[in-house]
Amino acid sequence: MAALTNFHALLIGIDFYEPNNLFKNLRGCVADIDLVAGYLQNSLQVPQSNFWKLTSPFEEDSSLSKVRSARKELKPTYENIVNAFNEIRKLFGSKNNMMLPAKWFFL
């Protein structure tokens, strides 16, 4: 299979939510996008530079910032998500389409 060099992806995995009254912490979301990233890279041969990962891993023994720093990933804030979409949009230009899962529009 030829490498999918024109394929780009934004992967967002949130296990740990900053303390709040609305959302409970989850387990497995970061692991899920790690699996998707592996599939993109190994099976579809999408270059790692063509996908962005924004993660909030669950804090275990070390601080969240150390975990994220070791993974070289940004926090999935509104600003970082918008910036990532804008970076992807710049790569495609105005004559191409970006597909988003329909579920995102019903959150």
Side-chain angles (χ1 to χ4, degrees):
M1 173 184 280
L4 295 176
T5 56
N6 287 332
F7 187 92
H8 298 269
L10 172 58
L11 306 174
I12 302 171
I14 302 172
D15 285 343
F16 177 77
Y17 285 93
E18 301 292 330
N20 67 79
N21 295 328
L22 299 175
F23 302 107
K24 294 182 180 180
N25 292 326
L26 302 171
R27 294 264 185 201
C29 300
V30 174
D32 287 347
I33 69 161
D34 286 343
L35 290 171
V36 171
Y39 175 76
L40 292 174
Q41 196 169 10
N42 300 324
S43 297
L44 300 181
Q45 300 177 11
V46 175
Q48 188 173 359
S49 60
N50 286 21
F51 54 90
W52 291 255
K53 289 171 68 177
L54 304 177
T55 62
S56 183
F58 194 75
E59 192 171 346
E60 296 283 351
D61 298 326
S62 60
S63 76
L64 188 60
S65 61
K66 287 181 184 176
V67 172
R68 192 177 291 113
S69 176
R71 294 170 61 98
K72 296 182 175 28
E73 297 164 5
L74 295 173
K75 187 175 179 179
T77 63
Y78 176 82
E79 181 179 358
N80 288 341
I81 293 169
V82 169
N83 288 340
F85 273 125
N86 285 334
E87 287 297 316
I88 294 169
R89 190 176 50 100
K90 285 179 196 173
L91 293 170
F92 283 102
S94 62
K95 296 185 179 184
N96 293 293
N97 295 315
M98 180 183 297
M99 294 175 56
L100 303 173
K103 184 178 177 183
W104 286 17
F105 298 104
F106 301 106
L107 295 178

